[in-house]
Amino acid sequence: TPLVAFDRRGHRIGYGAGYYDITINALRAKKPIIAVGIAFATQEVPEVPKTPRDARLDLVLTEREVIDCRRA
């Protein structure tokens, strides 16, 4: 999943249309999936503002580490 910013709880800021949140939530309603964000480490922020319709990421992959957001 592309993103502009993320936090370690798996919340992300995307590009504003909500397409990925809608898709992730629709897929999760059908079966278990793992949502993975791809980012640079510099895109991490302390906290991303969220709404009830936002889909959390399970993992974020950066050039420095794999962040498991399921533990947050």
Side-chain angles (χ1 to χ4, degrees):
T1 303
L3 52 89
V4 174
F6 71 94
D7 65 25
R8 289 193 173 249
R9 288 173 296 285
H11 301 290
R12 62 183 273 283
I13 295 174
Y15 294 95
Y19 295 123
Y20 284 92
D21 294 312
I22 292 166
T23 302
I24 292 168
N25 287 329
L27 290 170
R28 284 184 173 155
K30 294 179 181 184
K31 63 181 181 177
I33 65 162
I34 296 175
V36 180
I38 308 295
F40 291 106
T42 58
Q43 291 174 273
E44 183 176 350
V45 296
E47 185 175 356
V48 169
K50 55 206 165 290
T51 68
R53 70 174 187 259
D54 293 337
R56 284 182 61 190
L57 299 172
D58 297 298
L59 303 167
V60 177
L61 306 179
T62 75
E63 76 280 11
R64 294 185 187 156
E65 64 184 313
V66 176
I67 302 167
D68 189 343
C69 304
R70 298 170 292 191
R71 299 178 187 170

